[in-house]
């Protein structure tokens, strides 16, 4: 069994196109941060991104972000926020900028470096979450 | 005088004002002003899709004269054309437009 296609050619919703991810991400970008916040990152163009996550055990329960109002950056951040909940922290940490670029076709080459910023900020939040989980685990021993 | 055009409304702007007025004048070097940039909103971005016949002429003139062409990023993503524009034509929003024009600032910005 294969997952339903969520690209522009099909009507399965929510679609994972840049445009629709931006629409949803624009709203998430205004939401209050989740309890565990990572460091803010800035790229050479002055765009910033900062992720926050919530965890249950070692699983990601929710993802939120605050990012500059660049459509490409917000779409990349929203993709991470939609796809990674339910992942274990160590598995989500392996998500790379290259895999993010590959997951969202339709972004022109000049804008793909936004994926580097998104992934760096996402990983920073995961580092904080991993530290928090480690402290909780040690505290329960 | 240096000018930049922003194609913000639709109707006849690309097929008439651009294709039948501005573009032929640029091709004939009689436009009367130095065009430093053109920015396209909404459906006007279709002129920038590789293979568009008006866009092909515009792309050639822009390369010859050093005119910046830029599509609105959100408009292009919404139309699924962001990665199908003529080679070297970027997408962006106002910060990208101002940055791209900063080295060759227009005296007038004309919204069409």
């Amino acid at each position: 069994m294969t997952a339903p296609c969520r690209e522009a050619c099909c009507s399965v919703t929510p679609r994972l196109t840049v445009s629709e991810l931006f629409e949803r991400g624009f709203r998430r970008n205004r939401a209050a941060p989740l309890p565990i916040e990572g460091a803010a990152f800035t790229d050479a163009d002055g765009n910033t991104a900062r992720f926050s996550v919530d965890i249950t055990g070692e699983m990601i329960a929710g993802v939120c972000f605050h990012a500059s109002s660049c459509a490409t950056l917000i779409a990349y951040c929203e993709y991470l926020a939609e796809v990674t909940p339910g992942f274990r922290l160590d598995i989500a940490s392996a998500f790379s900028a290259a895999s993010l670029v590959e997951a969202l076709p339709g972004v022109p080459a000049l804008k793909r470096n936004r994926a580097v910023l998104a992934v760096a900020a996402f990983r920073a939040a995961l580092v904080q979450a991993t530290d928090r989980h480690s402290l909780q685990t040690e505290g329960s021993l | 005088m240096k000018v930049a055009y922003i194609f913000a409304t639709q109707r006849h702007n690309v097929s008439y004002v651009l294709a039948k007025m501005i573009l032929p004048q640029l091709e004939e070097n009689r436009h009367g002003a130095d065009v430093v940039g053109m920015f396209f909103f909404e459906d006007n971005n279709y002129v920038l899709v590789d293979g568009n016949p008006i866009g092909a002429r515009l792309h050639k003139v822009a390369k010859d004269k050093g005119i910046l062409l830029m599509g609105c990023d959100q408009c292009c993503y919404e139309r699924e054309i962001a990665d199908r524009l003529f080679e070297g034509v970027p997408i962006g929003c106002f910060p990208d437009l101002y940055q791209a024009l900063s080295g060759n600032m227009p005296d007038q910005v004309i919204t069409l």
Side-chain angles (χ1 to χ4, degrees):
Chain A
M1 185 172 170
T2 56
C5 174
R6 293 171 73 184
E7 294 187 13
C9 53
C10 295
S11 59
V12 176
T13 55
R15 292 165 67 204
L16 291 176
T17 62
V18 180
S19 178
E20 295 197 16
L21 284 164
F22 168 70
E23 292 287 338
R24 296 192 293 275
F26 192 77
R27 289 190 290 274
R28 193 189 303 266
N29 199 25
R30 292 163 174 261
L34 295 171
I36 305 170
E37 289 189 88
F41 279 69
T42 303
D43 69 8
D45 295 328
N47 293 295
T48 63
R50 184 179 195 185
F51 274 84
S52 61
V53 298
D54 197 4
I55 55 172
T56 303
E58 57 180 346
M59 308 284 276
I60 297 174
V63 178
C64 197
F65 61 86
H66 281 166
S68 299
S69 61
C70 164
T72 310
L73 176 61
I74 288 177
Y76 278 141
C77 291
E78 177 65 16
Y79 183 89
L80 292 169
E82 291 188 10
V83 166
T84 58
F87 278 40
R88 265 186 11 220
L89 291 167
D90 58 336
I91 292 174
S93 298
F95 210 93
S96 68
S99 51
L100 186 53
V101 167
E102 189 178 348
L104 274 186
V107 176
L110 283 171
K111 294 287 184 183
R112 288 178 198 153
N113 59 354
R114 305 288 199 261
V116 176
L117 174 61
V119 167
F122 179 59
R123 284 178 172 170
L126 295 184
V127 168
Q128 292 295 318
T130 302
D131 289 348
R132 177 81 62 94
H133 175 62
S134 299
L135 287 173
Q136 287 172 346
T137 305
E138 288 169 11
S140 64
L141 292 176
Chain B
M1 180 178 66
K2 293 195 261 187
V3 300
Y5 290 116
I6 295 182
F7 292 89
T9 56
Q10 297 176 163
R11 291 175 61 94
H12 250 166
N13 269 336
V14 165
S15 65
Y16 192 68
V17 179
L18 175 61
K20 292 193 169 66
M21 295 180 191
I22 297 171
L23 183 53
Q25 291 161 9
L26 287 171
E27 289 170 329
E28 296 165 10
N29 295 312
R30 59 177 193 84
H31 185 54
D34 292 332
V35 181
V36 296
M38 296 187 187
F39 189 84
F40 297 82
F41 281 107
E42 305 200 49
D43 284 353
N44 295 321
N45 282 286
Y46 285 112
V47 78
L48 300 177
V49 173
D50 195 354
N52 182 290
I54 296 170
R57 289 169 54 202
L58 179 65
H59 188 228
K60 181 177 183 308
V61 165
K63 280 176 69 176
D64 292 345
K65 296 184 180 297
I67 299 171
L68 168 77
L69 301 178
M70 185 180 287
C72 157
D73 56 1
Q74 291 181 41
C75 307
C76 289
Y77 284 135
E78 188 177 5
R79 289 159 179 78
E80 317 269 354
I81 59 171
D83 58 342
R84 293 170 45 207
L85 307 187
F86 285 100
E87 186 181 353
V89 175
I91 59 169
C93 201
F94 288 107
D96 305 292
L97 175 64
Y98 295 138
Q99 185 177 14
L101 287 175
S102 62
N104 192 17
M105 288 294 280
D107 301 305
Q108 303 282 343
V109 176
I110 298 170
T111 303
L112 294 168

